[in-house]
Amino acid sequence: MSILIGPGTRLVVQGITGREGDFHSRAMQAYGTRIVAGVTPGKGGATALDGTVPVFDTVAEAIRQTGADTSCIFVPAGGAPDAVMEAAAAGIATIFCITEGIPALDMIPAVEVVARAGARLIGPNCPGATSPGSAKVGIIPGSIHRPGRVGVVSRSGTLTYEAVQAMTDAGVGQSTCIGIGGDPIIGTTFLDILELFAADDGTDAIVLIGEIGGAAEEAAAAWAAEHLADIPKVAFIAGRTAPEGKRMGHAGAIISGGAGTAASKVTALEAAGFRVAGSPTELPALLRDAGYRG
Amino acid sequence: MKIQEADAKSLLVAQGLPVPGWEVAHTPAQARAAAERILAAGAEAVVIKAQVLVGGRGKAGGVKLAASTDEAERVAGAILGMDIKGITVRKVLVAPAADIAREFYMSAVLDRAARRILLMGSAEGGVEIEQVAADHPEAIIRRHADPLLGLLDYQAREFAFEMGLGAHIKAAVAIAKGLVRTMLAYDADLVEINPLAIVRETDATGAAVERLVCLDAKVTLDDSGLPRHPELEALRDPDEEDPADREAREAGLTFIKLDGTIGCMVNGAGLAMTTMDLVKRAGGEPANFLDIGGGARADKVAAAMRIILADPKVAAILVNIFGGITRGDEVARGLIEARAQQTRDVPMVVRIVGTNATEAATLLEQARFKTAATLDDAAAKAVAAARGAVA
C-alpha cells in the first residue's frame, strides 16, 4: 500500500489550464493518476488535457460532479492561499500546494482553515508525492521511482529526486515519496508523515531527507525514537558546510545561533536510531545495513 | 531582505509607533548639521549610530554619544568609513540621546513550528537577547497572535503586564499591536525593538515625564512578499549589495559567495547544499552556493556561469543538474554558449540527469565537456581538476 495517494485517488487540479498546470497534469495522467477534474474560475464547462478532463469554476462544483477527494494546486502565489482554503472548505481531504513564492504570512490563516476543516495540506513550495506504480501528484519525475516498501520524506525537491534515483538504481523500491516543502510555513511536517508511514502496512523502512534550519528534523527524530524503534531508518541532512546566518535559497534553510545546524540534526537522528548518510548515494546501502531486506 | 535601522524606524512611524526623531548623515559635515538642529531643539547630547546591516555595531564601536557639534562631527568622522564585519560604514543615524530609565526587549517574529506570529518580550532589554533566552528562558514572555484574528487586545494587555509595563500599559499595548501590524503591513518576518525604553523627558510645561519609546528598530522583509510592496524595493541598500549578488538577483538566481575554489551551479536549494557538502567531502572547498531554480533556460545558465567566473579564486566548476521541470538539454546549450564567451579557461565537470538527459549527453559529448555520472564522482573530478589548475 501507500500513504496519502494511491490507486483510489480522485484528483482535481486547481489551475489546470495554466502552463504549469497543463504540463504537469499531462505527466500525472501519463503516470496513471486518475485526474477527475480541473478547476479554473471562469472556464467552467470547458475541458482540459485534450478533452479528457472536465473543467469547473469552483472546487465545490468539481467535488459534486466528480467525487474528487485530493487536490493539486498550480495557482500563482497571489491566489494560492485562497485556492488552499477553497479546497479545504469544499471538503477535499488531501491538498498538495506546489506553488512557490507565497508570502509566509499568507499561509498562517490558510493552514488554520485547513486544520479546522479536518483536511491535510502538503506544501506549499513542495514537489508533491508519488506512490510508485499507482499515482503521482505534483512535479516529481515519474521515471525515477520503483515500487517497493520504503517510505521517503523530504523537505527538498531535486535532492529528493537524487536520493530516490539512487534507491531505484540500487533496486530499492518506494511505498510513497513525499516532498513536504521548503517554506517557513508548511501544512505537514516530517513528524506528521512519519505517523502516516508508521500506520501503513506497505511501508517497512524510512528514508528522511532534511536540511539545515528549523527544528522539524529534531522533532521527527524524537518521535521516531519512541514509535519507530523497530524499523530500519536512514537519513541525509543537506547543508553541513553551509556558513552560519546565510539563507540558502529555501526560506527554511537558514542557520542562526547554533539551533537548526546540520550537527544538531545529525546528532538527534543518530540518537533516535537513524543511520545518517554522508551522500544521498549511500542511502540504499545504509538501508541494507539497517536490516532492510526489500 | 534586511533593511537599515533608519528605514525600519520609518516603517514603524508609518504604523503609528513612538520613535524619537532622527536624521541620516553621509558625511561628518552632515552629521554636524544634524547634531546642531537636534541640540538646538533641546537635547543634551546626540547619539551617532553606524547604519550597517550586520549586528554587533555597538561592540564594534559603531555607536557613540556626542555632546557638542564639534564632537558630533569628530565622532561621525570616526564611524564613517569604519569596517564592521567586512562592511564599510557609509552613513550614520543621528538622534537625540535618550535619558533612559529602563530598557526592555520586544519583537514580533514568524514562528515556523507553531505556524503563528509570535510576540516576544523581556524586561532585560538592551542586551544580547539570545543570551537571555539561553540562560533564562523564563525571562522571555511569549504570546502567539491568533492565526485568523491577529493579536487581540487582551493578549497584548496580558503580555505587557507580564513584561512589567503596567505603568505604561496603554503605550505598551499600542506598541505590541503595532509590531504585529507592521509585520502584516509590509510582509516582514521580523520586527524587533531593542531597546524599547522608558525615557525621561520634559513636557511642554517643563515637568518631568516618562514615556515608552522605540530606541532601535530591526525589520527583515519576506522576499516572497516584495512583489506586492514595490515601494519597499527602494529600501534595498545598494551600498551593501555585492555586484555579483545584484547580477544574480536580477537574473533570478540564488547566489551566495563563499571562500573556496570550486564554483558550483545546481538546480534546487537542497541539492545545491548537498553538492557543496560533497565537494567538501571530496577534499575541496566550494566557492559559492548557486541555485539556478526550476525550469532554467540557456540564458540563465549563461548568467550563472558569468557570475561564477567573476570570482578570481574559482579554479574549477561543477555543474550538477537533476532535471525535473528543468530540461537537461537547455542547460547543456546554455553551458556551450557560456563557454564560447568565457574569457578565462577554467576546467568544468558537468553532470546532467533526469529530464532530457540523453539529449544533454549528446550535446556535451559533441562539445567535448568533461562529464560525470554520479554526484560523488562529479565532486571528486571537480576537486581533482581544481588541484590540477592550481598546481
Side-chain angles (χ1 to χ4, degrees):
Chain A
M1 271 306 289
S2 55
I3 65 167
L4 295 170
I5 57 169
T9 293
R10 298 178 67 81
L11 185 71
V12 52
V13 177
Q14 294 174 256
I16 196 168
T17 54
R19 202 172 62 90
E20 296 283 311
D22 177 74
F23 179 81
H24 294 292
S25 293
R26 285 176 195 278
M28 288 190 268
Q29 198 179 49
Y31 194 78
T33 311
R34 189 139 49 122
I35 303 181
V36 297
V39 169
T40 299
K43 294 201 178 166
T47 58
L49 310 189
D50 305 322
T52 60
V53 175
V55 177
F56 300 93
D57 287 320
T58 65
V59 177
E61 186 62 18
I63 294 174
R64 269 195 296 277
Q65 301 286 337
T66 68
D69 57 12
T70 304
S71 159
C72 186
I73 295 174
F74 290 102
V75 174
D82 185 62
V84 167
M85 293 188 279
E86 180 189 357
I92 293 289
T94 309
I95 305 160
F96 291 86
C97 185
I98 311 302
T99 310
E100 64 178 321
I102 300 175
L105 292 174
D106 286 4
M107 286 313 299
I108 292 177
V111 161
E112 181 68 13
V113 166
V114 168
R116 291 187 186 195
R120 177 183 294 286
L121 169 67
I122 318 287
N125 190 17
C126 79
T130 307
S131 292
S134 64
K136 86 164 185 127
V137 173
I139 61 174
I140 303 176
S143 61
I144 63 176
H145 297 286
R146 173 191 171 104
R149 304 185 63 83
V150 180
V152 180
V153 59
S154 168
R155 234 209 264 189
S156 173
T158 49
L159 173 57
T160 314
Y161 311 166
E162 188 81 49
V164 171
Q165 182 78 66
M167 291 169 66
T168 293
D169 288 348
V172 177
Q174 308 96 40
S175 54
T176 302
C177 302
I178 300 128
I180 57 173
D183 271 7
I185 306 283
I186 52 172
T188 297
T189 64
F190 280 118
L191 199 161
D192 298 328
I193 298 294
L194 291 190
E195 284 181 346
L196 295 176
F197 278 138
D200 176 36
D201 57 14
T203 299
D204 297 339
I206 303 285
V207 170
L208 183 151
I209 299 160
E211 60 188 47
I212 52 170
E217 289 84 354
E218 287 88 334
W223 188 86
E226 206 174 318
H227 299 94
L228 290 173
D230 300 333
I231 78 166
K233 299 178 288 298
V234 304
F236 176 75
I237 299 293
R240 289 186 192 225
T241 58
E244 275 204 18
K246 295 278 190 188
R247 241 169 235 262
M248 292 287 171
H250 278 178
I254 181 164
I255 317 186
S256 43
T261 61
S264 120
K265 291 176 192 301
V266 170
T267 305
L269 288 163
E270 285 180 343
F274 281 82
R275 288 170 196 240
V276 182
S279 163
T281 51
E282 295 172 1
L283 289 167
L286 281 184
L287 273 170
R288 304 264 187 233
D289 287 352
Y292 180 66
R293 295 287 170 264
Chain B
M1 181 171 92
K2 291 183 182 176
I3 62 173
Q4 299 287 2
E5 175 193 355
D7 295 324
K9 284 182 165 175
S10 298
L11 299 184
L12 294 183
V13 168
Q15 293 300 320
L17 281 96
V19 184
W22 71 91
E23 294 190 38
V24 173
H26 293 82
T27 63
Q30 285 177 0
R32 180 191 183 94
E36 196 165 358
R37 283 187 285 271
I38 293 166
L39 294 171
E44 288 186 7
V46 294
V47 60
I48 298 178
K49 304 168 84 176
Q51 294 295 285
V52 284
L53 298 176
V54 291
R57 290 177 301 176
K59 274 187 197 156
V63 179
K64 291 241 157 51
L65 290 171
S68 67
T69 49
D70 284 347
E71 195 181 3
E73 184 171 356
R74 198 171 62 244
V75 166
I79 293 176
L80 287 163
M82 180 185 273
D83 180 290
I84 299 181
K85 295 183 182 167
I87 305 289
T88 305
V89 180
R90 294 173 197 272
K91 47 197 169 283
V92 293
L93 178 145
V94 186
D99 180 5
I100 298 172
R102 216 176 143 195
E103 295 186 324
F104 298 83
Y105 169 93
M106 197 188 283
S107 68
V109 62
L110 188 68
D111 183 343
R112 307 191 328 182
R115 292 175 269 214
R116 302 254 194 291
I117 289 174
L118 174 65
L119 195 61
M120 282 196 290
S122 169
E124 312 202 14
V127 292
E128 295 276 338
I129 193 67
E130 281 155 36
Q131 203 55 49
V132 175
D135 299 344
H136 305 284
E138 74 287 350
I140 309 273
I141 316 297
R142 297 160 199 265
R143 275 293 178 289
H144 282 117
D146 184 278
L148 301 181
L149 301 173
L151 186 71
L152 301 164
D153 284 357
Y154 79 87
Q155 294 184 300
R157 274 198 311 276
E158 283 180 356
F159 174 77
F161 277 116
E162 273 186 61
M163 274 183 70
L165 283 165
H168 295 270
I169 190 67
K170 239 178 126 176
V173 165
I175 292 169
K177 295 191 73 176
L179 295 192
V180 173
R181 190 167 60 244
T182 303
M183 264 188 100
L184 294 167
Y186 306 108
D187 277 308
D189 39 34
L190 169 73
V191 180
E192 182 179 75
I193 313 298
N194 191 23
L196 171 72
I198 297 173
V199 298
R200 299 184 194 93
E201 292 181 346
T202 314
D203 70 8
T205 67
V209 290
E210 289 196 339
R211 198 159 75 96
L212 189 65
V213 295
C214 307
L215 289 188
D216 191 16
K218 183 174 175 186
V219 171
T220 63
L221 302 172
D222 177 358
D223 292 338
S224 296
L226 284 174
R228 62 181 174 195
H229 306 288
E231 75 284 1
L232 297 179
E233 253 327 303
L235 305 185
R236 193 183 292 280
D237 193 335
D239 291 344
E240 291 194 35
E241 191 175 36
D242 190 81
D245 291 349
R246 187 171 323 135
E247 189 182 356
R249 180 168 54 76
E250 285 168 2
L253 307 165
T254 311
F255 171 80
I256 295 167
K257 192 179 167 337
L258 304 169
D259 286 333
T261 59
I262 297 172
C264 300
M265 186 195 302
V266 188
N267 65 327
L271 189 57
M273 284 192 280
T274 302
T275 304
M276 288 161 50
D277 293 349
L278 293 182
V279 163
K280 186 120 182 175
R281 200 166 181 239
E285 287 290 338
N288 64 272
F289 166 94
L290 196 160
D291 172 13
I292 62 169
R297 304 245 174 195
D299 54 340
K300 221 170 176 181
V301 172
M305 191 61 71
R306 268 198 309 281
I307 291 163
I308 291 173
L309 283 169
D311 177 357
K313 281 179 77 178
V314 167
I317 296 173
L318 168 51
V319 179
N320 183 34
I321 303 296
F322 204 118
I325 313 181
T326 308
R327 289 169 41 186
D329 55 332
E330 274 284 344
V331 175
R333 265 186 271 277
L335 290 174
I336 291 165
E337 195 181 302
R339 198 177 58 176
Q341 298 165 359
Q342 197 168 310
T343 48
R344 195 152 70 87
D345 191 25
V346 173
M348 202 188 297
V349 178
V350 183
R351 171 180 182 251
I352 297 178
V353 290
T355 308
N356 294 4
T358 318
E359 293 87 333
T362 310
L363 288 168
L364 292 173
E365 195 180 330
Q366 283 163 359
R368 298 183 182 284
F369 271 85
K370 191 180 188 117
T371 58
T374 70
L375 180 46
D376 307 71
D377 181 36
K381 279 182 175 158
V383 171
R387 290 214 177 105
V390 169

